[in-house]
Amino acid sequence: MQYQSTRDSRIRVSASEAIVRGLAPQSGLFVPEAFPQADLAAWKNLSYPELAQRVLAGYLTDYQEQFLEQATTSTYGDAFGGKAGYTRKVHDGVYALELWHGPTCAFKDYALQLMPKLLVEAKHNLGRTEKTRILVATSGDTGKAALAGYAGLDGIEISVFYPDAGTSEIQRLQMVTQTGENVRVYAVEGNFDDAQTGVKRVFADASVADALERRDIRLSSANSINWGRLAPQIVYYFYAYFRLVEQGAVAWGHPVDFCVPTGNFGDILAGYYAKRMGLPVGKLVCASNKNNVLTDFLRTGTYDARRTFYKTTSPSMDILISSNLERLLYHVSESCEKVAGWMKDLAETGTYTVDADTLAKIQQNFAAGYADDMQGAAEIHDRFVQDGYLCDTHTAVAFCVAENNRSEAPMVVLSTASPFKFPRDVLAALGEQAPESDFAAMKCLTEKTKQQAPASLCVLDSLPVRFSEKIRPEEIRAAALR
Ligand SMILES: *Cc1c(COP(=O)(O)O)cnc(C)c1O
């Protein structure tokens, strides 16, 4: 299987190359040139790691089978407490696919626990021996998930930059208590934009690349446009479908709808790949918060990023430029020229409009909706009171949108974070006075709901803080060069 750029079909590389490079030249994204077809009957009863191996083998054709088997087993076994792909009924016809049983309690673990291994192996496949230095700017979830994934790996170092005043107490402690000799964590004075702009500048700075190259170090990023982060997310759509069949919720071969809390469009796009591989998926419902640029696009065909940016209680979905959408545009239009044109319009004017044919093809597969913080809070309350189901602020947005987009088919809502990661907002939604501290709030949430907080979050306030350095945005370059 070869990969090509969404903006230039002449650029063709292997899977290993796509994963080492991350971005294609001229900012295109790497996409597979075909959709490997699923063998549903043979895959139906596989364990999660076995299924992951089969799905990935179709895409990562230059990786050894034995490596994939070992990597998927070591990633999705114990680290997910036997709950990788765990799917449970919430109420009639509606199911939750709980993706937060990994080490950092957010769905990004599915990709970030595996991708570092894929990167190390890709370098091995390509005969590369340099050190890789990963730089990550994070508003919270990605930083910890990346640290946990890359810690202790050979030939890799990772530095994470988070906004001093921009993360929750839990998210900050998750990062600054990270163990491992190859990790570094910095607080950056300012907000997420300051941290992100600083890191982007370092990536674009040729003098940094030169200086590092002389020390045999190459920079790389861990963000969600890397194919190595997208591919592992395809697996759980299959796994959830098979569990619904097993539970008698859907007849074999009949469709299931999925509703996905969406930010950068990576998670929901993985569902589209599953569908193109032959999984009976009905609608993929894209759920947004008040930053509803995707809702408008999927309904009208006009993407318009020229709008107010809102900070919401579902911060991982606060995004105006949804990078992975470019891959979908390529797959439905099958035209690099069109994609390059739309992306040029977006960069130059902040907006673009796709043609009617492209929009029609998108709407055959996708529906969309959004919910604001108030609606999300009401949803957390209702699901808990009516169904005994406790969900986080991101998942709540999806439950809300799912309700307005029901068809005859069962609906699976992707549950992307543990409610204990956002204990103050969840408590408030349940009608309780939330204490100032996240840890106090976690305890109250346990008392109120009789559910245990994940152990990895409970221990955070007793772990040694390893990183306390605070830098200014202009010092990110120096930190990256250390
Ligand atoms: C990252 C994230 C999302 C959004 O996923 P995308 O792949 O960026 O669309 C949703 N919920 C949570 C909790 C996340 O961390």
Side-chain angles (χ1 to χ4, degrees):
M1 170 85 70
Q2 293 284 102
Y3 291 76
Q4 67 158 84
S5 164
T6 47
R7 301 190 201 177
D8 185 346
S9 59
R10 291 164 308 180
I11 295 168
R12 281 179 182 266
V13 300
S14 66
S16 297
E17 189 87 27
I19 287 171
V20 166
R21 286 212 214 168
L23 266 182
Q26 289 105 43
S27 315
L29 304 184
F30 286 117
V31 282
E33 61 181 0
F35 299 99
Q37 290 306 292
D39 186 347
L40 296 175
W43 290 3
K44 180 170 152 211
N45 296 317
L46 297 178
S47 68
Y48 196 94
E50 288 167 338
L51 181 62
Q53 187 205 334
R54 301 302 194 287
V55 171
L56 291 169
Y59 287 104
L60 308 181
T61 48
D62 62 335
Y63 285 68
Q64 306 248 328
E65 206 169 295
Q66 211 187 348
F67 162 80
L68 289 177
E69 185 185 338
Q70 205 256 324
T72 53
T73 307
S74 62
T75 301
Y76 299 117
D78 294 345
F80 286 77
K83 283 194 157 181
Y86 180 70
T87 306
R88 61 163 276 185
K89 184 168 171 178
V90 174
H91 56 246
D92 270 349
V94 177
Y95 297 78
L97 165 53
E98 293 185 351
L99 299 172
W100 40 264
H101 295 287
T104 79
C105 310
F107 95 96
K108 291 186 173 64
D109 284 333
Y110 278 82
L112 283 165
Q113 285 288 303
L114 185 67
M115 167 150 119
K117 296 169 190 148
L118 299 180
L119 175 61
V120 171
E121 186 70 2
K123 284 168 68 184
H124 180 78
N125 290 342
L126 299 169
R128 308 189 69 112
T129 55
E130 79 277 5
K131 226 185 216 333
T132 304
R133 182 170 289 181
I134 311 270
L135 303 184
V136 182
T138 180
S139 55
D141 283 347
T142 307
K144 175 58 181 183
L147 285 165
Y150 286 99
L153 283 188
D154 262 1
I156 309 238
E157 299 166 343
I158 174 164
S159 296
V160 167
F161 302 87
Y162 70 90
D164 186 30
T167 68
S168 76
E169 186 183 3
I170 289 182
Q171 288 175 319
R172 184 181 64 81
L173 285 173
Q174 277 189 306
M175 292 187 273
V176 298
T177 59
Q178 176 66 47
T179 57
E181 287 313 303
N182 63 336
V183 309
R184 285 189 181 136
V185 180
Y186 301 92
V188 178
E189 278 174 21
N191 58 26
F192 173 58
D193 268 342
D194 296 317
Q196 188 173 46
T197 309
V199 168
K200 277 192 178 160
R201 239 181 237 141
V202 172
F203 274 117
D205 186 337
S207 73
V208 173
D210 286 349
L212 289 174
E213 198 181 322
R214 271 178 258 128
R215 291 153 58 195
D216 202 22
I217 300 173
R218 231 166 91 134
L219 286 182
S220 180
S221 97
N223 67 22
S224 78
I225 50 187
N226 191 305
W227 176 250
R229 259 191 78 174
L230 199 60
Q233 301 178 359
I234 300 169
V235 181
Y236 42 72
Y237 286 90
F238 283 97
Y239 195 78
Y241 182 84
F242 298 143
R243 300 294 78 73
L244 255 58
V245 170
E246 207 170 63
Q247 294 166 22
V250 67
W252 182 249
H254 286 242
V256 167
D257 296 333
F258 290 89
C259 185
V260 189
T262 297
N264 215 9
F265 211 74
D267 204 7
I268 194 168
L269 184 70
Y272 177 77
Y273 279 98
K275 184 171 188 178
R276 296 291 301 261
M277 292 169 74
L279 186 70
V281 175
K283 277 272 164 24
L284 291 159
V285 183
C286 175
S288 301
N289 62 26
K290 201 173 173 188
N291 296 294
N292 58 359
V293 61
L294 284 168
T295 314
D296 290 346
F297 172 71
L298 294 168
R299 287 180 182 168
T300 66
T302 294
Y303 194 100
D304 192 346
R306 301 167 302 179
R307 59 177 75 204
T308 310
F309 175 83
Y310 298 104
K311 269 178 90 75
T312 73
T313 54
S314 43
S316 295
M317 300 157 71
D318 290 346
I319 207 160
L320 289 183
I321 302 282
S322 214
S323 314
N324 270 301
L325 186 61
E326 178 171 348
R327 286 191 163 104
L328 177 68
L329 294 177
Y330 172 77
H331 288 305
V332 293
S333 72
E334 295 180 324
S335 164
C336 296
E337 291 70 32
K338 282 186 182 174
V339 173
W342 295 323
M343 292 304 117
K344 187 163 173 276
D345 287 349
L346 180 63
E348 288 172 2
T349 67
T351 179
Y352 62 88
T353 300
V354 299
D355 53 274
D357 185 42
T358 298
L359 180 62
K361 282 184 184 150
I362 290 174
Q363 289 177 340
Q364 275 164 24
N365 296 295
F366 289 87
Y370 72 97
D372 64 19
D373 284 354
M374 286 252 289
Q375 292 169 305
E379 193 69 26
I380 291 176
H381 177 269
D382 290 353
R383 295 288 62 74
F384 184 68
V385 171
Q386 293 168 23
D387 305 325
Y389 191 77
L390 187 64
C391 72
D392 92 296
T393 47
H394 302 77
T395 309
V397 167
F399 272 121
C400 225
V401 172
E403 204 46 50
N404 299 324
N405 284 276
R406 290 298 311 279
S407 70
E408 303 280 286
M411 173 70 84
V412 174
V413 170
L414 274 65
S415 178
T416 48
S418 161
F420 286 91
K421 251 192 131 161
F422 304 92
R424 299 184 66 245
D425 290 325
V426 173
L427 256 188
L430 295 178
E432 300 290 317
Q433 192 80 35
E436 270 303 312
S437 138
D438 276 353
F439 290 97
M442 261 201 273
K443 287 206 184 82
C444 294
L445 193 54
T446 293
E447 275 161 31
K448 167 95 184 165
T449 64
K450 310 284 176 266
Q451 298 190 18
Q452 288 305 319
S456 62
L457 298 183
C458 293
V459 299
L460 279 175
D461 60 348
S462 60
L463 296 179
V465 169
R466 296 188 63 214
F467 303 96
S468 50
E469 193 175 346
K470 189 155 122 185
I471 62 177
R472 296 190 310 275
E474 57 273 22
E475 293 172 313
I476 292 178
R477 182 178 183 278
L481 277 168
R482 273 187 205 164

